[in-house]
């Protein structure tokens, strides 16, 4: 077993496939940070960025890449990290490579659009922590309150049907290039594993699949 337990993970599934949920659980398991680019962007006080997010458009590669690079420089990433929602374009994927930001594991969670839409319409979020719930499939202990802080949960502005459809269209446009890129990276030996996961399974089963894959390599 390799004693360098540097676990560098990216999740490249569509919105609503469970990337955030799995990232939270993995972060807890391996004690490495989960870096959600969407969360980082939502915390910025910038009207243009908020407008773009609410419309479901992607933020420019240059802005997002800089945010990610700065975040990855922090010490807590020394033993690894989980990138949730990055890369979302081929330029972003190439940016990681060009900047020598090595990735070990790529997980692509897949789910039919019909199910994604149901999930996103029922999603509730704890704003300050980013903790994710679903009113039916993963409800909080007390209705509409965060399990840890007891604070109110919210529905994201971009989790409405028209914006969801737009986000899925954008994802479809970008994902083939990103997948092909990482399949090639695995062939070249730059990435340990690219794995597709059926997102329509219980949270814990998916988590076990992911952990098994990671543990095989570390
Ligand atoms: P998420 O929280 O991952 O669903 O992301 C919410 C929104 O943040 C997206 O719809 C985009 O507007 C923006 N965003 C998140 N990640 C990226 C990215 N890698 N590139 C561009 N925009 C992003």
């Amino acid at each position: 077993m390799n004693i360098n337990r540097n676990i560098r993970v990216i999740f490249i599934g569509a919105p609503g496939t469970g990337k955030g949920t799995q990232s939270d659980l993995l972060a807890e398991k391996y004690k490495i940070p989960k870096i959600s680019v969407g969360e980082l962007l939502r915390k910025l006080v910038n009207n243009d960025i908020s407008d773009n997010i609410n419309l479901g458009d992607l933020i420019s590669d240059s802005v997002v890449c800089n945010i990610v690079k700065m975040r990855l420089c922090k010490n807590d990433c020394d033993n690894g990290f989980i990138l949730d929602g990055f890369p979302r374009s081929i330029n972003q994927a190439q940016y990681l490579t060009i900047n020598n930001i090595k990735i070990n594991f790529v997980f692509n969670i897949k789910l039919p659009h019909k199910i994604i839409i149901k999930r996103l319409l029922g999603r509730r979020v704890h704003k300050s922590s980013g903790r994710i719930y679903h009113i039916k499939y993963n409800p909080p202990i007390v209705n509409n309150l965060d399990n840890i802080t007891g604070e109110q949960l919210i529905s994201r502005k971009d989790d409405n049907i028209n914006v969801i459809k737009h986000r899925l269209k954008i994802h479809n446009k970008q994902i083939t290039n990103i997948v092909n890129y990482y399949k090639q990276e695995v062939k070249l030996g730059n990435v340990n594993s690219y794995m597709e996961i059926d997102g329509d399974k219980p949270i814990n089963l998916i988590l076990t699949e992911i952990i098994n894959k990671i543990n095989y390599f570390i």
Side-chain angles (χ1 to χ4, degrees):
M1 188 184 280
N2 183 352
I3 49 167
N4 173 10
R5 287 171 39 98
N6 203 319
I7 302 168
R8 294 161 163 233
V9 175
I10 59 179
F11 280 98
I12 58 170
T17 49
K19 302 186 302 292
T21 301
Q22 293 298 330
S23 299
D24 279 337
L25 295 166
L26 276 190
E28 174 72 28
K29 157 100 185 147
Y30 292 107
K31 309 290 175 223
I32 51 178
K34 162 204 170 181
I35 300 168
S36 157
V37 177
E39 267 169 42
L40 292 177
L41 289 167
R42 279 187 289 276
K43 281 185 182 143
L44 296 178
V45 185
N46 179 310
N47 287 338
D48 287 344
I49 289 182
S50 307
D51 287 350
N52 275 332
I53 292 177
N54 291 339
L55 291 170
D57 288 327
L58 289 184
I59 306 303
S60 74
D61 288 331
S62 58
V63 168
V64 171
C65 287
N66 274 322
I67 290 174
V68 168
K69 192 176 182 190
M70 272 163 39
R71 179 64 187 85
L72 292 178
C73 285
K74 292 196 179 173
N75 291 343
D76 63 344
C77 295
D78 285 353
N79 293 324
F81 51 79
I82 300 155
L83 277 175
D84 164 14
F86 187 97
R88 271 185 160 127
S89 69
I90 189 69
N91 286 342
Q92 294 176 13
Q94 286 167 344
Y95 178 88
L96 292 173
T97 311
I98 291 164
N99 285 276
N100 285 323
I101 300 170
K102 189 174 160 49
I103 299 300
N104 312 118
F105 302 99
V106 180
F107 295 107
N108 182 7
I109 309 183
K110 298 180 110 176
L111 204 55
H113 283 191
K114 256 191 174 170
I115 302 179
I116 288 180
I117 290 169
K118 264 197 217 159
R119 284 204 186 169
L120 290 180
L121 291 176
R123 176 159 76 176
R124 298 292 180 271
V125 184
H126 178 238
K127 199 172 177 191
S128 61
S129 71
R131 271 185 291 280
I132 302 158
Y133 301 87
H134 187 280
I135 47 173
K136 193 165 162 199
Y137 310 123
N138 183 25
I141 298 163
V142 179
N143 190 24
N144 220 34
L145 298 182
D146 177 49
N147 286 351
I148 311 278
T149 63
E151 289 165 343
Q152 200 76 25
L153 303 179
I154 58 151
S155 197
R156 270 170 48 177
K157 279 192 186 155
D158 56 345
D159 281 347
N160 75 71
I161 188 68
N162 290 332
V163 177
I164 292 169
K165 285 186 177 164
H166 180 59
R167 289 155 68 199
L168 290 175
K169 223 185 234 173
I170 292 178
H171 174 80
N172 275 357
K173 245 192 200 167
Q174 306 284 345
I175 191 64
T176 311
N177 280 341
I178 299 173
V179 165
N180 288 339
Y181 183 77
Y182 281 112
K183 284 184 174 169
Q184 184 64 17
E185 285 289 280
V186 171
K187 273 192 193 149
L188 292 170
N190 297 333
V191 169
N192 286 344
S193 162
Y194 163 82
M195 185 183 184
E196 294 189 354
I197 295 175
D198 172 7
D200 194 17
K201 287 191 199 165
I203 291 171
N204 277 335
L205 270 189
I206 295 178
L207 180 66
T208 304
E209 275 183 44
I210 294 173
I211 289 173
N212 285 345
K213 178 61 77 177
I214 293 175
N215 286 350
Y216 177 81
F217 284 98
I218 61 170

